Amino acid sequence: MTSWQKILKNSITTPQELAEQLAGNVREMEQVAAKYPLRINPYYLDLIKKTGKPLYRQAVPDVRELHDNQGMVDPLDEENLSPVPNLVHKYPDRALFLVCRECAMYCRFCTRKRKVGKKEMVISDRTISAGLEYLRATPEIKEVLLSGGDPLLLSDHRLDNLLTALRAIPSLEIIRIGTRIPCTLPMRITPELAAMLKKHHPLYINTHFNHPAEITAEAALACSRLADAGIPLGCQTVLLKGVNDDPETIENLLRKLLTIRVKPYYLFQADLTRGTAHFRTRIETGLEIMQQLIGHVSGMAIPTFALDAPGGGGKIPLTPAYISALGETLEFTTYKGIPCSYPNQVAF
Ligand SMILES: *Cc1c(COP(=O)(O)O)cnc(C)c1O
Ligand code: SF4
């Protein structure tokens, strides 16, 4: 067993163990953990102890998960958009392929809370083969996004086989991996893993950091191993109440991401997932944060603020209003709030 596997094996998975380490109501946590799995590995536990609330809230079961009547079990309609189990084909040119049930930590706000880490989510050689078969038979899919769960919890060998099989599909141009491992278990990003991934270019990785305290020396090393393997790194952050829902925290996070060679990609409005209502912010919160960032912070650090439309409508960018009128001239305000215009004419 390698060292990251040992760390993962020593994860806290029961409220009793958790109560020895962190504050919390054991009985309430037991009720929650009976429905939604608990896993906090020693690395992230240590970070919670150092940082407190913004990381605690992401990982520790909260009784409010059981008292959410507005949320939807499958807000993005993923099950209906799956032609074969664990493959979501929503957009014409790309598909989401769920290849691992587990994560290095179970986020309380997870969009796929209905199944991630639970026995209801069945991933086997058969479902993987069926997904590969669908991708082979559907050449309009040019890009596959591996997700789960967390694909980087697969062994190097299994992942290598999967990537090799995907690369053998001529119509697939791009492989993208969605993973929270650089944030939640960065020691999983070994030199061997990076060397294996490097064989399968063009490969992109979108990771998931939500708070500047998650950007540690270990996370920086993990990201530099991936970036040195030529893998462009993006980040999909979720806006979460009590975690990162203020402009200073987000600015700090985005700036730090650039320093570890991660380009902020999306800032998500939280999905309407049942059991996550206590994390949700109003749309205005995100728009105000974006307005405070745009123009004031390097354009390289600016993600697209977006929501994933309920019912499978896809991701919709949400942008603060800069345009006030569009006709023969475009009337707008600058990032400093100064009115400005641009003649909307073409000469030839
Ligand atoms: C988010 C998502 C994608 C990728 O969308 P991008 O805007 O390209 O990042 C693809 N398929 C599904 C089902 C998704 O939810
Ligand atoms: S790492 Fe991603 S898939 Fe896993 S629990 Fe967290 S949000 Fe869900």
Side-chain angles (χ1 to χ4, degrees), residues 95 193 218 244:
L193 176 70
E218 291 90 339
N244 60 11

Side-chain angles (χ1 to χ4, degrees), residues 76 78 81 87-91 93-97 111-112 143-145 176 206 236 265-266 268 271 306 308 312 314-316:
L76 309 179
E78 292 187 329
L81 290 165
L87 187 141
V88 187
H89 190 188
K90 169 157 84 176
Y91 294 111
D93 74 329
R94 54 213 191 277
L96 181 72
F97 191 9
T111 288
R112 250 167 247 132
E143 176 176 344
V144 65
L145 280 80
R176 199 197 306 182
N206 275 341
Q236 307 196 161
Y265 177 55
Y266 277 131
F268 283 122
D271 290 329
D308 217 335
K315 293 176 181 76
I316 307 302

Side-chain angles (χ1 to χ4, degrees), residues 5 18 51 77 88 105 122-123 163 170 179 186 228 257 262 273 285 306 344:
Q5 286 166 320
L18 187 55
T51 313
D77 216 14
V88 187
M105 162 180 123
V122 177
I123 292 173
L163 293 169
T179 173
D228 286 348
L257 284 170
V262 175
T273 313
T285 305
N344 187 23

